[in-house]
Structure formats: C-alpha cells, structure tokens
C-alpha cells in the first residue's frame, strides 16, 4: 500500500485565504499550526488632507508587509489574514469620504476573527496596525483574546517599529513628533508606494496646534503625561499636519525598507516565544 505523505513542514502560502481547509487540518494534526504566527493587518480609510487619498493607512501597511515577506526567515510559518482596512476613524468624520466603524463593532469584529484563528489551531497572533486611532481598541482585543482563547497576542503598529538612526534622521524631531497625519513621512512613503495618487501641488507645511501647547504647557504639552481627546481639525483645519511639501520618494523608500526589516524580526521573535509565555495557572491565595 502507498505510504501516507509526510506532514507539511511549512504552509504553501503566507496568505491565510489562499490555503484550503485540508491545509489547516493537516497543519493542526502535524503541529505546524501551533508553530505558526497569524498576522491580522488593520488599517483605515480616511481623509489625509487635500493631497493624499483615503487609502494612505492601508497602502502604507501593505507596502511594509510586502517588503517584509522576502525578509522572513526561510520556513517561518507566518500567515497573513485578510486586511481589515476600515478601522476606528471617528476623529476624521468632519471630512467627506472617511469610513469608520464604532469602537464596539471594531472590537467585536477583531475579537471574532481572533477566535477563528484559535479554532484553526494557531496559538500566536500579531495585530499589525497602520492607523493611530486603532491603537486603543487593539489593546482591548489583545487582552480579550488572551482571556477567551488563551492566545499569545501582540499588537504593534508599523510606525512604532524601531528604525535605524540614519532613517530616523531623514526627518527632523519636530516632524517625527507633530507631523502625525499627512506630513512628510506619510507623504514620502506614498510617493514611493503609490505616486500616482499623490497631488503634490496641494501639499503644504501645516503646523499642528499641539506645537503651541508644547511650548506653553510643561505637563499638558509634553506628549506623555496627558492626552487630548481630539479630532483632526483641532490640530489643523486642513485635516493634515506636518511638512508634506518637503516629502521625497527616496526618503519614503528608506522608511518602508527599514520598517519591513523590523517587522520581519518582530514576527521571528514572536515565533520564537514559547507558548507558555501566557496561560500559566495563577497561584492559590
């Protein structure tokens, strides 16, 4: 009788939706699923000032992912789930075209997707983000999935990944701190990834009102001790802040490549973590 084929040592694709139910069944039986790292990309579709498309956050995140895939260690079982490109963007609702979900809907959606990951036998999940407004709900979802499913869950944003000094140095400290939406960094990355969508004739240097508060209020404006519940027009009526006029494609390329290298390392480190990092029994009282 013909012998059974050996269990798979790797997935045929890094994209969750390209695999079949049989692939997941075999991976669960062989233990491959338990060694895998699932990645849920979450982004936003929202206004980015007069010069950029609504797709910025999704485009930048997918650009970093695409650049990271060839950098993953050979055979590392990373599985990227379908991107969730509508996020929590209520701070941009004053501008036409913005799409958003409510916090409750978003948390329920991501949590239920995480539960599907757990049912497939995968024990590690990275919530990978491209939009600042998603950070708070990611924290909630990560803890919910740890409690409900025992998943080892990390959350991270591409813009929080460590970049080398030579890449950080392409933009000044003021731009790093205050150019948080449609400024030089995002515009440079879009000039690299999707130049046809950028209207540089509309790009300007839009100062943020938070710069004035930083100068006037030692605690309120230090960027750490207190956080404003803001809408983007509170920072600048253009719906963007930062020096978009100073954007350059080669700077954007450097950011994408550096973020991709950091992302590949992050996924490899999560893969290396023992599963008992979470789930230990509490000590009796």
């Amino acid at each position: 009788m013909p012998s059974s084929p050996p269990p798979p040592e790797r997935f045929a694709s890094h994209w969750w939706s390209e695999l079949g139910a049989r692939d997941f069944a075999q991976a669960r039986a062989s233990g491959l699923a338990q060694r895998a790292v699932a990645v849920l990309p979450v982004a936003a579709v929202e206004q980015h000032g007069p010069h950029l498309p609504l797709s910025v956050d999704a485009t930048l995140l997918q650009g970093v992912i695409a650049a990271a895939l060839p950098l993953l260690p050979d055979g590392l079982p990373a599985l990227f789930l379908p991107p969730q490109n509508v996020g929590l963007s209520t701070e941009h609702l004053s501008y036409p075209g913005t799409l958003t979900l409510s916090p409750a809907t978003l948390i329920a959606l991501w949590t239920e997707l995480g539960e599907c990951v757990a049912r497939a036998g995968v024990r590690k999940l990275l919530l990978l983000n491209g939009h600042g407004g998603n950070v708070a709900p990611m924290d909630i979802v990560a803890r919910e999935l740890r409690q409900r499913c025992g998943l080892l869950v990390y959350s991270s944003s591409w813009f929080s990944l460590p970049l080398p000094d030579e890449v950080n140095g392409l933009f000044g400290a003021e731009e790093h701190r205050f150019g948080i939406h449609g400024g030089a960094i995002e515009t440079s990355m879009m000039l690299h990834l999707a130049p046809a969508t950028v209207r540089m004739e509309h790009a300007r240097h839009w100062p943020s009102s938070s710069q004035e508060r930083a100068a006037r209020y030692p605690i309120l404006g230090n960027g750490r001790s207190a956080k404003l519940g803001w809408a983007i027009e509170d920072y600048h009526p253009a719906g963007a802040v930062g020096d978009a006029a100073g954007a350059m494609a080669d700077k954007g390329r450097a950011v994408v490549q550096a973020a991709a290298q950091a992302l590949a390392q992050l996924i490899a480190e999560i893969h290396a973590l023992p599963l008992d990092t979470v789930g230990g029994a509490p000590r009796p009282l």
Side-chain angles (χ1 to χ4, degrees):
M1 295 179 62
S3 60
S4 300
E9 297 181 357
R10 66 179 69 185
F11 291 101
S13 172
H14 281 303
W15 302 106
W16 185 288
S17 60
E18 291 184 355
L19 302 175
R22 182 179 178 85
D23 297 317
F24 280 100
Q26 291 178 335
R28 187 165 190 165
S30 69
L32 176 60
Q34 283 199 334
R35 300 195 300 274
V37 179
V39 183
L40 178 62
V42 297
V45 177
E46 62 185 30
Q47 73 82 32
H48 272 75
H51 65 305
L52 292 176
L54 303 176
S55 65
V56 168
D57 291 339
T59 298
L60 300 189
L61 183 59
Q62 288 304 311
V64 171
I65 291 171
L69 283 173
L71 305 177
L72 290 173
D74 187 45
L76 193 156
L79 291 175
F80 288 81
L81 290 134
Q84 303 301 300
N85 286 338
V86 177
L88 183 60
S89 297
T90 52
E91 71 272 28
H92 297 282
L93 283 177
S94 296
Y95 298 81
T98 293
L99 303 179
T100 190
L101 299 173
S102 70
T105 298
L106 196 70
I107 290 168
L109 173 63
W110 294 351
T111 302
E112 290 180 23
L113 288 173
E115 289 173 335
C116 293
V117 169
R119 281 196 294 272
V122 177
R123 299 288 305 281
K124 296 177 181 179
L125 174 64
L126 170 62
L127 303 173
L128 181 61
N129 176 44
H131 166 54
N134 289 340
V135 171
M138 276 200 308
D139 288 342
I140 295 171
V141 170
R143 284 192 291 270
E144 282 291 297
L145 289 171
R146 185 261 176 264
Q147 290 299 109
R148 293 189 190 187
C149 307
L151 281 178
L152 195 165
V153 186
Y154 271 87
S155 60
S156 181
S157 303
W158 75 257
F159 45 83
S160 68
L161 295 170
L163 305 181
D165 290 344
E166 61 268 23
V167 176
N168 277 323
L170 296 173
F171 307 92
E174 184 174 276
E175 191 67 20
H176 277 291
R177 179 174 174 186
F178 299 110
I180 63 169
H181 194 71
I185 298 173
E186 288 190 330
T187 305
S188 294
M189 295 172 74
M190 287 297 290
L191 285 172
H192 166 56
L193 293 169
T197 68
V198 182
R199 301 176 180 178
M200 283 302 292
E201 69 273 18
H202 299 305
R204 302 288 185 274
H205 183 187
W206 296 291
S208 172
S209 65
S210 60
Q211 294 173 260
E212 179 184 352
R213 287 189 290 278
R216 293 179 59 188
Y217 303 107
I219 296 177
L220 196 69
N222 67 20
R224 299 181 304 276
S225 301
K227 189 173 183 180
L228 175 68
W230 55 273
I232 190 62
E233 60 266 31
D234 300 333
Y235 287 154
H236 197 284
V241 287
D243 186 13
M248 299 177 64
D250 59 342
K251 294 182 179 182
R253 182 183 305 108
V255 175
V256 170
Q257 292 298 324
Q261 290 177 346
L263 174 58
Q265 181 177 340
L266 172 63
I267 294 172
E269 290 180 7
I270 294 174
H271 177 251
L273 276 177
L275 287 171
D276 62 6
T277 299
V278 299
R283 294 182 179 180
L285 298 176

